[in-house]
Amino acid sequence: MKALAAAALFLGSAALAQQPEAKPLEPGRENLAIPYEKYTLPNGLEVILSVDRKLPVVAVNVWYHVGAYDEQPGRTGFAHLFEHMMFQGSKHVPDDVHIALMEQSGATDLNGTTSFDRTNYYETVPSNLLETALWLESDRMGFLLDALTEKKLETQREVVKNERRQGVETAPYGEAQEKAWQALFPAPHPYSGNVIGSMKDLDAANADDVKAFFRTWYAPANATLAIVGDFDVAKTKALVEKYFATLPSGPKPKRPDVKPVKVTRETVIRHDEKVATLPLLSMSWLTAPYLKPGDATADVLATALSTGRASRLYRRLVLDKQLAQSVDATQQSHGAQSVFTIDAVARPGVTTDALKKEIDAVLDEVRKDGVTQEEIVRARTRYDTRQLAGLQAVGGSGSKSDTLQTYNQFVGEPSYVAQDLARYQEVTPALVKQFATDVLRPDARVVLHAVPPSQGTPPSSGSGKEAR
């Protein structure tokens, strides 16, 4: 996913909760089903329970169905800023005590994250301390505003601005990649802020904005609570009732209806790279949303292009021609539109023009002949292994609780592992060839040349729209 982790070819937000057509499973795949119970409290809070007694621990994983996609123009980065505010204390929890209480309780995998499509908060605790975790989550869900102050907002605003400095402004290729991303998703598209947002918009946020955001998006009716691990079901239901059922209900907010973006000509960006010391060549295309037709095909092609020493781009650019220090192809799957990206970092003395020529040659081969069945099997094995390894843990990113939440958000069915992996069964060399031909077109991409001054001026050759 995701990842980082998206257009059937381009779908808007109205399609996000539609479940893909069920496909028959390979023999034995039925065993991948995760036992769970799902129910809804009168105030609208969804609850998912899944018992796993491998270890005496329980994961508590709360998803609020709001992310950068739901931000208003002029408020980019707000969903992520609000994630920080959720750790600053609530009515019955003193300032900055939430994390300390959890750590003193032996919690692990304690974090919160923000994506384009959701914001989540999770922790794994010893089974006998499940009630503490549920109380903390319920208090910030119901009573955050009682403890919110301008001072807390200002403190967290500065923390987030520093994250932006470290992750974008002073990171190798950070500003260059931001330019490329915004060329794919021009403002006011909500993906334009790329979750972290802009300094200008972060500075514009005030306490009234935070309160309005909380009242709109952090209502129980817009959240799902997953509890996974070693617990007593009846006692846990009673705890959920005790701590969450009394929280006031509110209407489930409507997600914005944003028109999908279409790139109809090549855009070339030339960036004077001031942090990294080697040139970067990056190509990006808009692709199918997460779990929609074409998403798995993009995953398979990305693996065939750059995963392992035998992959096509790695073998050609890094091993055979020794033009690149590294090369990476990824399908960043998201709820509205995904992005397929190829990044190659040049060796000293190699131009981004040279990298572009070789990458295009490899893509032309795929457009002509597709990939081999052996490459597809390798990719399927990789995704099977990665998914099943994640299910061994009850909590944390990519864990069983996270997996149940992910599928619940995107298809409405928490136990969707077998169906997800079955998508890769249907990928064929012909489908990969069609994807490379129809989607990865030269006239539908953003091409970034990020060249340090020591390597000379970014090349001026190329077609289509150019930007600095």
Side-chain angles (χ1 to χ4, degrees):
M1 170 193 317
K2 100 242 187 357
L4 333 198
L9 189 54
F10 301 100
L11 293 175
S13 60
L16 299 187
Q18 295 178 359
Q19 182 168 328
E21 182 181 349
K23 304 292 194 301
L25 305 179
E26 283 184 333
R29 293 264 167 158
E30 300 86 353
N31 297 330
L32 294 176
I34 303 173
Y36 74 93
E37 179 182 353
K38 177 180 169 182
Y39 64 99
T40 304
L41 297 180
N43 60 11
L45 176 69
E46 279 190 325
V47 182
I48 300 171
L49 304 178
S50 180
V51 175
D52 182 329
R53 303 206 184 279
K54 287 195 298 287
L55 293 170
V57 297
V58 183
V60 175
N61 190 318
V62 182
W63 278 36
Y64 294 91
H65 305 293
V66 55
Y69 183 83
D70 305 290
E71 294 169 345
Q72 297 297 310
R75 288 295 182 267
T76 62
F78 207 82
H80 176 235
L81 173 62
F82 196 84
E83 173 212 316
H84 282 248
M85 298 302 300
M86 286 285 279
F87 288 95
Q88 300 310 301
S90 47
K91 183 175 182 179
H92 306 103
V93 180
D95 298 356
D96 294 319
V97 168
H98 184 108
I99 292 177
L101 278 175
M102 283 284 85
E103 290 178 339
Q104 290 167 15
S105 300
T108 58
D109 301 315
L110 170 61
N111 207 351
T113 67
T114 307
S115 74
F116 289 110
D117 305 301
R118 56 94 188 114
T119 308
N120 67 353
Y121 305 88
Y122 54 84
E123 56 270 336
T124 302
V125 297
S127 296
N128 63 318
L129 293 173
L130 171 60
E131 184 169 3
T132 301
L134 293 177
W135 167 64
L136 285 168
E137 291 295 353
S138 71
D139 204 66
R140 60 181 173 182
M141 181 182 289
F143 306 103
L144 183 84
L145 295 189
D146 295 79
L148 189 145
T149 65
E150 284 281 2
K151 182 179 179 181
K152 289 182 182 179
L153 173 60
E154 182 58 32
T155 299
Q156 293 310 305
R157 188 205 327 268
E158 291 305 312
V159 171
V160 172
K161 286 167 67 176
N162 193 51
E163 287 183 359
R164 178 182 164 80
R165 292 184 191 101
Q166 293 178 341
V168 178
E169 293 167 7
T170 63
Y173 314 114
E175 291 188 332
Q177 290 170 329
E178 182 176 59
K179 287 181 182 178
W181 185 266
Q182 291 172 347
L184 287 170
F185 297 107
H189 193 284
Y191 278 14
S192 181
N194 202 12
V195 180
I196 193 66
S198 71
M199 287 293 194
K200 178 182 177 183
D201 289 353
L202 290 170
D203 282 334
N206 57 53
D208 288 339
D209 290 329
V210 171
K211 292 175 182 178
F213 192 89
F214 180 87
R215 293 187 181 109
T216 301
W217 297 105
Y218 275 67
N222 198 47
T224 302
L225 165 67
I227 303 172
V228 180
D230 185 13
F231 61 88
D232 180 278
V233 174
K235 291 180 180 178
T236 299
K237 284 185 174 182
L239 291 174
V240 170
E241 179 77 17
K242 175 181 178 180
Y243 290 110
F244 291 92
T246 57
L247 300 181
S249 61
K252 185 174 179 63
K254 184 180 183 300
R255 306 199 77 178
D257 185 13
V258 180
K259 278 189 171 185
V261 179
K262 294 184 180 181
V263 176
T264 57
R265 59 177 176 172
E266 183 179 68
T267 297
V268 180
I269 297 172
R270 310 189 185 284
H271 176 79
D272 296 320
E273 175 61 31
K274 295 179 174 60
V275 181
T277 58
L278 292 173
L280 168 75
L281 188 282
S282 181
M283 299 178 178
S284 300
W285 295 260
L286 296 172
T287 56
Y290 179 49
L291 294 176
K292 299 299 180 181
D295 180 47
T297 305
D299 276 337
V300 168
L301 178 54
T303 299
L305 288 176
S306 72
T307 300
R309 293 175 66 85
S311 60
R312 294 182 178 226
L313 286 174
Y314 188 88
R315 187 174 63 241
R316 184 170 187 136
L317 272 68
V318 178
L319 298 180
D320 293 349
K321 301 208 171 185
Q322 298 187 3
L323 297 174
Q325 292 276 84
S326 63
V327 62
D328 188 41
T330 57
Q331 164 76 346
Q332 302 173 56
S333 299
H334 304 299
Q337 289 177 269
S338 299
V339 176
F340 188 97
T341 301
I342 298 172
D343 290 329
V345 176
R347 286 183 179 239
V350 176
T351 67
T352 50
D353 264 345
L355 294 178
K356 181 176 180 292
K357 177 182 177 181
E358 296 300 328
I359 292 172
D360 276 336
V362 172
L363 291 176
D364 283 342
E365 291 172 1
V366 177
R367 294 181 186 113
K368 180 175 181 290
D369 300 319
V371 297
T372 67
Q373 186 63 31
E374 180 184 358
E375 288 173 297
I376 291 175
V377 171
R378 263 202 313 266
R380 285 180 52 192
T381 300
R382 176 174 178 261
Y383 287 108
D384 282 4
T385 301
R386 187 174 66 181
Q387 180 72 282
L388 299 178
L391 295 179
Q392 301 309 303
V394 296
S397 179
S399 66
K400 184 177 289 188
S401 58
D402 223 32
T403 298
L404 290 167
Q405 286 277 29
T406 298
Y407 295 136
N408 183 64
Q409 164 133 343
F410 288 100
V411 299
E413 167 52 65
S415 182
Y416 201 75
V417 176
Q419 294 91 329
D420 184 358
L421 295 179
R423 298 182 301 143
Y424 298 94
Q425 300 171 31
E426 301 182 347
V427 178
T428 64
L431 279 177
V432 174
K433 176 181 177 180
Q434 181 181 359
F435 173 82
T437 301
D438 295 347
V439 181
L440 304 189
R441 304 191 319 270
D443 64 350
R445 68 188 180 186
V446 172
V447 180
L448 167 67
H449 299 263
V451 181
S454 61
Q455 300 289 324
T457 305
S460 59
S461 61
S463 60
K465 179 182 176 183
E466 295 196 7
R468 276 276 183 180

